[in-house]
Amino acid sequence: DLFNENDMEQILNKALLKLPERCREILVKHKIEGMRQKEIAEQLSIYPKTVENQLTIAYKKLREELERYPGLFSLFVFLLI
């Protein structure tokens, strides 16, 4: 099945909302706001490794959530690069 833009946006938003709050916050800062991992760590007063770990968790959970929609996770990652 093909998705229109509105469908994809709704699916992605639902998947993002299912992320743990800290994972979502770090993912948004990194991919949407364009912050580097070191900057995020400094802003949140956490270790850079924690930022890296939270991003890994976020991507894993998004992949799991979006795997039933073929290609949607790849598109999501591509759009955020």
Side-chain angles (χ1 to χ4, degrees):
D1 290 312
L2 295 175
F3 300 101
N4 67 38
E5 189 175 332
N6 190 43
D7 292 337
M8 288 189 295
E9 186 176 334
Q10 286 182 11
I11 292 166
L12 291 172
N13 282 334
K14 285 180 184 178
L16 285 170
L17 288 173
K18 289 183 178 182
L19 290 176
E21 185 176 338
R22 183 65 114 182
C23 287
R24 184 173 55 250
E25 176 184 21
I26 290 172
L27 182 67
V28 167
K29 287 181 180 301
H30 184 59
K31 288 298 186 181
I32 297 174
E33 296 175 16
M35 293 178 69
R36 294 186 348 230
Q37 291 182 23
K38 183 179 178 185
E39 294 172 317
I40 296 168
E42 290 171 358
Q43 186 181 69
L44 299 178
S45 300
I46 58 177
Y47 291 107
K49 188 67 175 173
T50 302
V51 173
E52 183 180 327
N53 291 340
Q54 291 295 303
L55 287 171
T56 299
I57 292 167
Y59 287 128
K60 181 180 181 223
K61 289 186 177 292
L62 283 174
R63 185 178 294 114
E64 290 169 358
E65 187 64 31
L66 298 175
E67 68 185 2
R68 65 182 146 213
Y69 307 103
L72 198 54
F73 177 74
S74 298
L75 177 63
F76 173 72
V77 172
F78 175 76
L79 292 173
L80 293 178
I81 294 176

